[in-house]
DNA sequence: ACATAATGTGTAAACGTTTACACACGGAAG
DNA sequence: CTTCCGTGTGTAAACGTTTACACATTATGT
């Protein structure tokens, strides 16, 4: 090595690189291939400088002579050197990792939010460690330990309003900032991105009322969670505002978000209407596109046309474009949700003490003309 | 500290814990809360042993007296200690991180595969760093550097057959094992999980033929990629085998996987049939559910019933259950794809030299009775 | 009784960065 | 001709683990 070192000093960089390639960094032999990874120490040796100087070039701080800077930059380029984030993370007590806890869900909404989070994080020099759990599985406890162990700089919790608050405290207790997104818990020190679901439902139902509908069905979820309560509330507000009395017969709550339950919901309303001697609604609002899909299946069976026979508005705009026919839906600004989530987190990660923030985002109607004018 | 230390030694653990909580590990004050994180050093001090002993308890290796083991375990429990993975990663040159490179895609298929990868990784003590890129964006180059920098122990590339092979070599060159999944490139030292798409398409079309169909349409993607070639091949094989001559008029290639293109595809065939004076097909095979959704939209407009007027089989079973009506589809074993991917990777990560492996998984028909018996 | 093995514990050197500090050189200001 | 500041560079000590090694102590076999 000493010999190689002097070679490098005397300017024979290229030859030296080959020597290095063969001898310095041979970590492993895989299938006969020589595999090399460079460390700052190696770069420093090749450039004939100290590792501190290399670091100064990489981080563009401190003083480095033009001559050395160029020499080092050239070597960096040639070797494709990538600094070891683990080592720097250890020294700086920053992993530049964001944890993302989410529930697995057959819904592109969460996929889209995830995507926005990943992208925004990446643009800010962070990476995302995703932990997917399954409703009621209790996996979160272990995941929290894993995230703390990985020294994540912050955590985003997407749509998991049922997470154990104790776990969240464990993280905040470890100094990890948290942002909850879409389905949130009101917790000390936890920022929130909320969707104005009351307004979303209100807007959808208002649109139907404006088109002349008065008998409007509601297909939602029986949920302890606030978002479903708000959607029902928005529905009721719109009706009350229009002076329409609320018919329980027109309201159906399912257990979970799935097509079958959506279809069962409208069938239930259909049957109860006959029993109660009421007219079947002329329009339906579903609190999720997946439930709306169930409504469409019902219509298909009964050979009802949309919007001629039945008007529909869905929610979340994940499937509506793909349905036959494509239906109107209240879309959520997934992009904004993800981006704002990362931004809030970033502010906390970078300057510790801040007020708790709450950002409210608004759904917007994607109108595909599935509400008939009466 | 020395005073506290002697307290611990004299057995006053509980009091000592409080002292520790207040003084030893006060890292930050957030909103008035005292925040503490423990290191092995702290645990060792509390237990009055050396840090090596604590490590032996945590990793359950080496000899530790029952007395010390119990004392340490108790403290570990009480403090909720989580070892710093960054530090151990640095020492062991293992991050226990798996990189996952995937393309963003409005398709639950990738979501499901991701989910399986995350779960299987987690069960094996790994975490997943997901890097989502967008077709043709060139984001991959940077992502590869990030993954190398994070010292990931392995990388899974999902459905990105268009990744630059040079980037893959950079990773294998850095000693990182790679598994490609679903859409693969044949590259030196890269394991593959392949879907038998030829067989999948063949099976779907065979099913239609068995039900008596002879005029069968194909809605696919004009793709350089092998999977679409295989699906078309499977379609043609099934027809040839049945002695049916292949009609170009019945075949349509779209640009990308989206509903609009699916609908345009079948409209195109419809128009060309009139021009050529051919009968419209009685059945359609689509190479993706999203294209099949387009077919359903066409049928809806034309008031064609399924399967009475038109028979359909989709592919990937991501949307078919939610359509009106739910349609038959060739499902891919997403679970198996993800799990096998992680397993292959794990074998490579744990014992370096292995033959390149190729696992082929089979699609299976989910029959929802949308092929009419002729 | 003595060698040897099994058990239990602590010390200290890594791992690859970052960064405070020290030092050296030149030029400008007094 | 000092003194001081702006540049440029290297040294070495962290960061929190893991683990080889050394050293005890006790048990076992002869």
């Amino acid at each position: 090595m000493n010999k190689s070192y002097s070679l490098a000093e005397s300017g024979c960089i290229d030859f030296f690189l080959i020597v290095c390639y063969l001898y310095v960094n041979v970590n492993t032999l895989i299938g006969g291939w020589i595999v090399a990874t460079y460390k700052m120490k190696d770069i420093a040796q090749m450039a004939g400088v100290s590792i501190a100087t290399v670091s100064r070039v990489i981080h563009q701080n401190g003083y480095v002579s033009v001559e050395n800077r160029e020499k080092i930059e050239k070597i960096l380029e040639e070797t494709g050197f990538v600094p070891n984030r683990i080592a720097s993370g250890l020294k700086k007590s920053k992993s530049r990792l964001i944890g993302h806890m989410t529930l697995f869900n057959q819904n592109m909404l969460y996929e889209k939010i995830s995507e926005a989070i990943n992208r925004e994080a990446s643009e800010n020099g962070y990476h995302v460690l995703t932990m997917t759990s399954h409703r009621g599985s209790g996996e979160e406890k272990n995941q929290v330990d894993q995230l703390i162990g990985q020294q994540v700089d912050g955590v985003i919790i997407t749509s998991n309003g049922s997470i154990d608050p104790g776990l969240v405290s464990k993280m905040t207790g470890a100094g990890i900032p948290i942002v909850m997104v879409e389905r949130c818990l009101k917790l000390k020190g936890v920022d929130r991105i909320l969707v104005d679901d009351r307004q979303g439902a209100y807007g959808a139902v208002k649109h139907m009322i404006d088109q002349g509908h008065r008998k409007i069905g509601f297909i939602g979820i029986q949920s302890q969670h606030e978002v479903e309560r708000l959607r029902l509330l928005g529905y009721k507000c719109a009706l009350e505002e229009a002076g329409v009395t609320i018919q329980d017969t027109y309201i159906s709550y399912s257990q979970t978000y799935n097509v079958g339950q959506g279809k069962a919901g409208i069938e239930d309303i259909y049957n109860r209407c006959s029993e109660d001697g009421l007219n079947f609604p002329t329009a339906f609002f579903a609190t999720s596109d997946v439930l709306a899909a169930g409504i469409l299946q019902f219509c298909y069976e009964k050979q009802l046309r949309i919007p001629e026979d039945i008007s529909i508005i869905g929610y979340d705009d994940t499937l509506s474009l793909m349905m036959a026919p494509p239906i109107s839906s209240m879309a959520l600004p997934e992009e904004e949700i993800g981006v704002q989530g990362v931004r809030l987190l970033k502010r906390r990660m970078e300057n510790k003490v801040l007020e708790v923030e709450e950002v409210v985002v608004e759904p917007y109607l994607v109108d595909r003309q599935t509400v008939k004018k009466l």
Side-chain angles (χ1 to χ4, degrees), chain A:
Chain A
M1 259 324 295
N2 289 330
K3 191 171 168 239
S4 300
Y5 187 58
S6 60
L7 276 170
E9 282 185 317
S10 59
C12 305
I13 304 273
D14 288 345
F15 175 61
F16 179 67
L17 284 178
I18 294 165
V19 174
C20 268
Y21 186 65
L22 293 174
Y23 295 103
V24 186
N25 290 300
V26 176
N27 290 342
T28 330
L29 281 163
I30 294 188
W33 276 92
I34 290 168
V35 165
T37 51
Y38 294 92
K39 308 162 201 167
M40 275 179 41
K41 189 174 64 178
D42 303 318
I43 306 293
Q45 258 176 357
M46 294 183 211
V49 299
S50 81
I51 144 180
T53 304
V54 176
S55 173
R56 280 186 279 255
V57 171
I58 291 171
H59 299 292
Q60 314 197 49
N61 58 17
Y63 296 109
V64 182
S65 65
V66 180
E67 187 197 22
N68 272 340
R69 159 162 286 118
E70 282 173 358
K71 199 201 296 184
I72 292 169
E73 275 169 354
K74 183 159 174 267
I75 297 176
L76 253 21
E77 179 65 29
E78 285 170 344
T79 54
F81 173 77
V82 181
N84 182 328
R85 285 249 209 172
I86 297 236
S88 93
L90 177 59
K91 181 75 235 263
K92 302 211 287 191
S93 308
K94 290 229 143 78
S95 61
R96 297 237 118 203
L97 247 32
I98 291 178
H100 182 201
M101 302 183 69
T102 180
L103 279 174
F104 181 67
N105 219 310
Q106 299 264 19
N107 192 331
M108 281 302 292
L109 176 65
Y110 304 108
E111 173 86 327
K112 288 177 182 174
I113 294 176
S114 277
E115 200 271 332
I117 290 175
N118 277 321
R119 192 164 26 67
E120 183 69 14
S122 178
E123 276 167 21
N124 286 279
Y126 288 88
H127 297 305
V128 181
L129 218 49
T130 305
M131 306 257 146
T132 313
S133 60
H134 302 80
R135 198 171 291 285
S137 65
E139 293 155 305
E140 289 101 338
K141 182 169 165 19
N142 180 41
Q143 292 177 353
V144 164
D145 280 352
Q146 300 297 338
L147 290 174
I148 295 176
Q150 288 290 352
Q151 312 290 110
V152 294
D153 296 338
V155 169
I156 297 182
I157 301 176
T158 299
S159 306
N160 189 346
S162 50
I163 194 171
D164 171 7
L167 292 177
V168 179
S169 321
K170 180 162 187 181
M171 293 192 280
T172 51
I176 302 175
I178 311 275
V179 173
M180 291 190 82
V181 150
E182 211 258 329
R183 303 192 175 216
C184 307
L185 254 29
K186 268 216 165 79
L187 291 172
K188 201 176 157 65
V190 173
D191 292 333
R192 285 182 290 275
I193 311 279
L194 296 166
V195 176
D196 190 350
D197 284 298
R198 192 192 147 286
Q199 181 62 32
Y202 171 87
V205 177
K206 179 77 162 43
H207 180 76
M208 292 168 162
I209 290 170
D210 289 347
Q211 300 297 308
H213 292 267
R214 289 298 175 270
K215 293 185 283 294
I216 300 174
F218 177 94
I219 310 279
I221 296 289
Q222 184 159 43
S223 168
Q224 307 77 321
H225 200 277
E226 211 188 347
V227 303
E228 279 292 327
R229 271 201 10 253
L230 289 174
R231 291 173 198 176
L232 181 59
L233 187 63
Y235 162 82
K236 288 184 173 173
C237 287
L239 289 180
E240 269 172 11
E241 193 187 272
V244 178
T245 44
I246 289 153
Q247 289 287 355
D248 280 347
T249 315
Y250 292 166
I251 298 177
S252 164
Y253 310 103
S254 305
Q255 297 297 315
T256 57
Y257 295 100
N258 82 38
V259 225
Q261 299 262 323
K263 186 164 174 243
I266 190 170
E267 277 165 355
D268 183 39
I269 292 179
Y270 186 80
N271 295 332
R272 277 160 35 211
C273 284
S274 326
E275 287 168 22
D276 302 358
L278 278 172
N279 286 322
F280 193 58
T282 57
F284 281 90
F285 169 60
T287 64
S288 167
D289 270 8
V290 80
L291 297 175
I295 301 180
L296 260 65
Q297 290 183 352
F298 171 88
C299 293
Y300 185 84
E301 277 184 15
K302 294 265 185 259
Q303 306 227 27
L304 299 169
R305 300 286 293 179
I306 294 155
E308 293 80 1
D309 305 316
I310 296 255
S311 295
I312 286 191
I313 297 184
Y315 205 89
D316 64 34
D317 194 35
T318 52
L319 291 173
S320 39
L321 178 66
M322 298 190 268
M323 296 183 190
I327 64 165
S328 300
S329 190
M330 269 288 165
L332 308 190
E334 309 96 4
E335 176 75 16
E336 190 185 356
I337 293 173
V339 169
Q340 292 277 17
V342 173
R343 295 222 178 124
L344 274 194
L345 199 56
K346 199 180 161 217
R347 288 179 54 186
R348 288 229 173 225
M349 292 188 296
E350 287 166 11
N351 48 107
K352 299 233 156 194
V353 189
L354 270 175
E355 307 271 294
V356 169
E357 286 224 36
E358 194 168 280
V359 173
V360 177
V361 300
E362 295 295 333
Y364 55 95
L365 183 68
V366 178
D367 189 357
R368 300 197 181 89
Q369 309 291 325
T370 51
V371 178
K372 180 182 165 191
K373 180 135 193 141
L374 290 188

